[in-house]
Amino acid sequence: MVEVREPGRIRVRLLGELDLAGAPVVSECLRRHRERGDAVLVDLDELQFMDMSGLRVLLAAAEVASSDGWTLAVTPGSLPVRRLIGLVHLDGRPPFDGSST
């Protein structure tokens, strides 16, 4: 995970795999930025693998964002990530609607 400050937001680039082992680290990172009031773009474009635990972290963050006004966006992701999102019929739905980049 690499955090990059960009104009008006923090880009959280996820690299490699987002699975059960990494999900708590990403969840904590997103919680910290939400508490600071940082707008966040989660960049999934370099993920080679994401399992349901990683997907749950993103969905939980999106739910919090929709309820409290926190600005959270997610890139479309790599091909394996887009496949998972499509398999669970989340493509086209926030935060996976492609409006985040």
Side-chain angles (χ1 to χ4, degrees), residues 3 7 35 42 55 60 76 80 85 95:
E3 298 177 44
E35 287 179 355
V42 181
L55 187 58
I85 292 167

Side-chain angles (χ1 to χ4, degrees), residues 20-79:
L20 186 61
V25 175
V26 173
S27 180
E28 176 60 24
C29 171
L30 296 177
R31 182 198 61 77
R32 187 177 70 249
H33 285 300
R34 180 182 53 83
E35 287 179 355
R36 289 184 195 158
D38 297 331
V40 173
L41 173 64
V42 181
D43 186 337
L44 306 177
D45 295 348
E46 296 178 67
L47 272 184
Q48 299 306 309
F49 174 80
M50 181 169 67
D51 69 5
M52 289 304 295
S53 58
L55 187 58
R56 278 193 289 275
V57 166
L58 298 175
L59 291 172
E63 186 174 323
V64 168
S66 71
S67 68
D68 75 0
W70 174 43
T71 302
L72 174 74
V74 179
T75 65
S78 64
L79 183 58

